[in-house]
Amino acid sequence: MSVRGKVIKYGNNVDTDVIIPARYLNTTDKQQLASHCMEDIDNTFVKRVQKGDIMVAGKNFGCGSSREHAPIAIKESGISLVIAKDFARIFYRNSINIGLPIIECAEASEQINEGDEVEADFEKGIIINHTQNREYRIEPFPEFIRKIINAGGLIEAVNKGMLND
Amino acid sequence: MKAMTMTQKILAAHAGLESVAAGQLILAKTDMVLGNDITSPVAINEYKKINVKSVFDKDKIALVMDHFAPNKDIQAAQQCKLCRTFSDDNQISNFYDTGDMGVEHALLPEKGLVTSGDIVVGADSHTCTYGALGAFSTGVGSTDMACAMATGKAWFKVPSAICFNLKGKLNSYVSGKDVILHIIGMIGVSGALYKSMEFKGPGLKNLTIDDRLCMANMAIEAGAKNGIFEVDDITKTYLHSVGAKEPVVYKADKNAQYDETYDIDLSTIQSTVAFPHLPENARTFDNIPEIKIDQVVIGSCTNGRLSDLIIAAKIMKGRKVAKRVRTIIIPATQKIYLEAMELGLLKIFIDSGCAVSTPTCGPCLGGHMGILAKGERAVATTNRNFVGRMGHPESEVYLASPEVAAASAILGRIAQPLDVIKKGE
């Protein structure tokens, strides 16, 4: 699987309260959630995000609340991949569980700029920055997590009996 | 066999393994699966996609309607209704709604639903609170919650740990909140990312269960997977008093590996305030200018317990809150509310000019019951001060102990308890 898109970039410690403010958590409707994505730190996001765009951020992305609404809102807004230096742990597992592709890569997180054209190929394990002509290696996920991703998320993995002892 | 931390021992036991090592991915059995009115609806929708006929154990699931309850609007009412229907259909034993609910992480320990050695997963990041009782408890997402409700299992990456070796005794008007804000200030909001924070040492005997619950509650604010306290007589006495299951005590091996060890002398901890917009922006009063405030909130899963209300009432008794400071007191559970009433605390608060609310998470996450306008500032005993957390994106939240919050309410500015109380009080 590979994805390609334009980069929307944020800083360190992007928390789930700014990804989707709690005042909008009175619904589980994915499109409604997406319509408020990033609102409190970037009210232009919803207007400018295009299907396939890639979100790049610094350290501790998705810190704070356990709300799965956060990766849901990002995924539903059309973002195809989030690259960060590292992720807060609940956001990390939520993304894997719901099938939002994420990559931890410190170098890419630092060097990629807003607006760059970036591609990621998960099979080959590389991120290509077409704007800057740079490549980065992706650390492969452990096998257990790959199984969940390949199943299409945790629910499907459970239904396929993958989580049985 | 490899030496293990306390957390690793609990994980190994629940995965049916003799030992586990940091980084290993395991499937572990869960003793309690928790959700609230915001995360459970997403989980219930996902649960319905799983090919099971029933939940794994109707007694090991707790659904607590606390975030937007009492229902703040029609959509919140719909979400609670979905949870209520699901609980009825599946005969969930531990469903708590307006009238018997409380803020979930204050409620579960009080109901005796968690004991030492348990694994608790909750679709709420502050599920780490129960580490105070010697349980491995951690926040997960709604899909995790759905799968745990169906299978009684969850996947974990075994964490490494940071050890906090506590000694000494806290000074008057300093409490667990100051300790944990100090620690987060020291290690940062990702200082314990993916790791356990294990608390031990001779200072433990000087920390009450409420201090410990408050500290474990905020482990997530340092990015930790869990915070956990070594089990002692204080833990056992508490668990016995609430009728919890017999504790299973796990102790870290003497030669357990820690990524880092911090020695903390509790007697050196001062009243601490976390400035906007991160809990790591911790400051003590030698570094706090005069900051006028518009609101004070005393409550939440961090500091809405009886001891928090008792100390706040002690500071407020016979005094009035400053003009134009809206002070909202939220006992975290019905039991705490009732005890506060019987102790006369509610009268003290109301005489001082505070509003006293039924239990709810309410303003902590900017839900309802005390939202801030643009440019307003609040001192809150809650756990997060992110942008827009309590209302308008241009409002500010200062995190503090109930002692500091009460003093601030009286003086209308961020204040330390000793600015209000007389010597020897």
Side-chain angles (χ1 to χ4, degrees):
Chain A
M1 189 183 115
S2 72
V3 296
R4 183 170 174 153
K6 226 158 89 174
V7 166
I8 297 179
K9 190 160 183 185
Y10 297 105
N12 292 330
N13 300 313
V14 172
D15 63 74
T16 54
D17 274 282
V18 296
I19 295 172
I20 179 72
R23 58 185 179 275
Y24 303 121
L25 298 184
N26 54 3
T27 179
T28 57
D29 184 271
K30 292 178 182 179
Q31 279 180 358
Q32 270 192 54
L33 293 170
S35 72
H36 297 292
C37 191
M38 310 308 285
E39 187 175 288
D40 282 0
I41 51 163
D42 177 8
N43 57 20
T44 69
F45 173 80
V46 170
K47 281 171 234 154
R48 65 197 172 104
V49 66
Q50 298 202 350
K51 196 169 165 50
D53 280 358
I54 292 171
M55 196 180 275
V56 178
K59 67 170 187 170
N60 202 25
F61 185 87
C63 62
S65 150
S66 69
R67 64 190 70 156
E68 205 161 285
H69 313 69
I72 290 172
I74 290 174
K75 191 181 176 191
E76 192 66 20
S77 71
I79 290 289
S80 62
L81 167 69
V82 185
I83 301 172
K85 184 165 180 279
D86 52 34
F87 292 87
R89 55 160 290 273
I90 307 178
F91 186 92
Y92 181 95
R93 62 186 297 133
N94 283 347
S95 300
I96 287 164
N97 288 344
I98 70 160
L100 169 69
I102 53 169
I103 295 173
E104 286 189 337
C105 183
E107 266 193 302
S109 146
E110 277 162 29
Q111 292 172 357
I112 293 173
N113 294 324
E114 170 85 27
D116 284 359
E117 186 75 19
V118 166
E119 187 177 356
D121 188 317
F122 298 98
E123 267 82 57
K124 290 186 188 150
I126 50 167
I127 301 169
I128 306 160
N129 185 335
H130 291 286
T131 308
Q132 298 185 17
N133 279 323
R134 286 187 209 233
E135 280 191 21
Y136 308 93
R137 290 225 63 81
I138 308 171
E139 279 293 315
F141 283 111
E143 196 195 336
F144 184 90
I145 290 178
R146 272 211 309 275
K147 275 189 190 171
I148 298 175
I149 294 169
N150 292 341
L154 186 64
I155 298 290
E156 289 75 14
V158 168
N159 280 337
K160 286 175 183 166
M162 283 182 190
L163 264 57
N164 294 341
D165 296 315
Chain B
M1 204 167 72
K2 261 197 94 171
M4 288 188 282
T5 65
M6 193 175 166
T7 295
Q8 289 167 353
K9 283 192 172 175
I10 298 175
L11 289 172
H14 285 74
L17 300 169
E18 206 164 299
S19 73
V20 294
Q24 193 177 341
L25 283 151
I26 58 160
L27 265 183
K29 287 188 177 150
T30 54
D31 298 294
M32 184 57 70
V33 181
L34 167 69
N36 59 50
D37 52 309
I38 283 176
T39 57
S40 301
V42 178
I44 290 166
N45 290 340
E46 294 302 309
Y47 173 83
K48 288 173 181 165
K49 299 176 191 166
I50 304 174
N51 303 327
V52 286
K53 290 200 176 69
S54 64
V55 296
F56 87 106
D57 188 333
K58 66 182 179 57
D59 299 328
K60 292 185 177 176
I61 294 169
L63 300 183
V64 185
M65 307 298 101
D66 59 357
H67 277 58
F68 291 166
N71 306 336
K72 79 178 181 96
D73 54 28
I74 294 168
Q75 284 184 301
Q78 291 295 131
Q79 297 209 123
C80 286
K81 190 178 177 191
L82 178 73
C83 298
R84 203 175 299 120
T85 305
F86 176 81
S87 293
D88 288 345
D89 291 348
N90 290 278
Q91 298 172 300
I92 304 295
S93 313
N94 305 300
F95 174 75
Y96 298 102
D97 203 347
T98 301
D100 63 0
M101 66 82 161
V103 177
E104 52 194 328
H105 310 305
L107 188 70
L108 262 61
E110 176 189 293
K111 294 283 181 190
L113 293 176
V114 182
T115 197
S116 308
D118 275 357
I119 286 190
V120 183
V121 292
D124 186 279
S125 60
H126 294 106
T127 303
C128 51
T129 307
Y130 320 123
L133 308 177
F136 171 78
S137 62
T138 192
V140 295
S142 293
T143 298
D144 282 307
M145 180 191 168
C147 292
M149 288 198 297
T151 65
K153 288 181 206 152
W155 66 272
F156 300 107
K157 188 169 165 185
V158 176
S160 62
I162 300 175
C163 175
F164 295 88
N165 190 29
L166 310 176
K167 67 170 188 181
K169 198 179 165 188
L170 293 172
N171 291 309
S172 303
Y173 300 103
V174 174
S175 58
K177 184 62 160 286
D178 300 299
V179 183
I180 194 64
L181 289 178
H182 167 80
I183 289 173
I184 297 165
M186 188 169 69
I187 68 173
V189 291
S190 60
L193 194 62
Y194 304 131
K195 298 178 182 181
S196 302
M197 295 167 77
E198 297 206 357
F199 298 94
K200 53 171 85 172
L204 277 194
K205 64 176 181 297
N206 299 320
L207 290 176
T208 64
I209 281 291
D210 286 1
D211 284 325
R212 299 176 195 193
L213 288 162
C214 170
M215 288 170 65
N217 174 270
M218 288 191 72
I220 178 71
E221 309 314 331
K225 181 165 216 145
N226 67 316
I228 193 162
F229 281 73
E230 204 165 79
V231 176
D232 62 8
D233 288 343
I234 296 173
T235 327
K236 289 177 189 165
T237 304
Y238 174 80
L239 290 170
H240 183 74
S241 75
V242 295
K245 278 182 306 182
E246 198 55 35
V248 181
V249 180
Y250 295 91
K251 208 172 170 180
D253 288 318
K254 276 220 169 80
N255 52 344
Q257 294 289 308
Y258 291 98
D259 292 349
E260 283 155 291
T261 296
Y262 292 96
D263 291 314
I264 293 174
D265 182 348
L266 296 173
S267 70
T268 65
I269 302 291
Q270 302 171 40
S271 292
T272 303
V273 178
F275 275 46
H277 290 285
L278 284 175
E280 71 183 16
N281 297 334
R283 292 200 204 179
T284 48
F285 276 86
D286 47 5
N287 190 23
I288 296 178
E290 178 161 325
I291 297 173
K292 298 261 188 223
I293 55 170
D294 305 285
Q295 180 165 299
V296 167
V297 175
I298 298 177
S300 83
C301 57
T302 318
N303 282 117
R305 298 186 179 82
L306 189 63
S307 60
D308 301 315
L309 303 185
I310 288 172
I311 193 72
K314 186 178 174 189
I315 292 166
M316 290 180 154
K317 189 174 183 180
R319 301 184 171 98
K320 293 278 181 197
V321 301
K323 203 179 169 192
R324 299 263 184 273
V325 176
R326 309 178 303 264
T327 303
I328 303 165
I329 312 284
I330 311 176
T333 67
Q334 290 288 85
K335 182 167 179 271
I336 295 166
Y337 201 159
L338 192 58
E339 286 170 347
M341 188 180 82
E342 286 165 356
L343 290 173
L345 308 183
L346 304 188
K347 182 172 181 346
I348 294 171
F349 291 133
I350 293 169
D351 284 345
S352 296
C354 305
V356 183
S357 160
T358 193
T360 181
C361 302
C364 172
L365 75 159
H368 62 149
M369 284 300 296
I371 304 304
L372 299 174
K374 183 177 179 177
E376 287 192 325
R377 294 193 188 107
V379 170
T381 66
T382 55
N383 42 50
R384 289 199 176 119
N385 55 356
F386 299 150
V387 170
R389 176 73 180 178
M390 199 174 276
H392 195 279
E394 288 173 44
S395 61
E396 292 182 345
V397 177
Y398 295 77
L399 303 175
S401 66
E403 293 86 345
V404 167
S408 302
I410 299 297
L411 295 176
R413 59 173 171 84
I414 299 177
Q416 53 188 330
L418 296 174
D419 294 346
V420 173
I421 50 177
K422 298 181 198 91
K423 271 199 172 143
E425 213 178 307

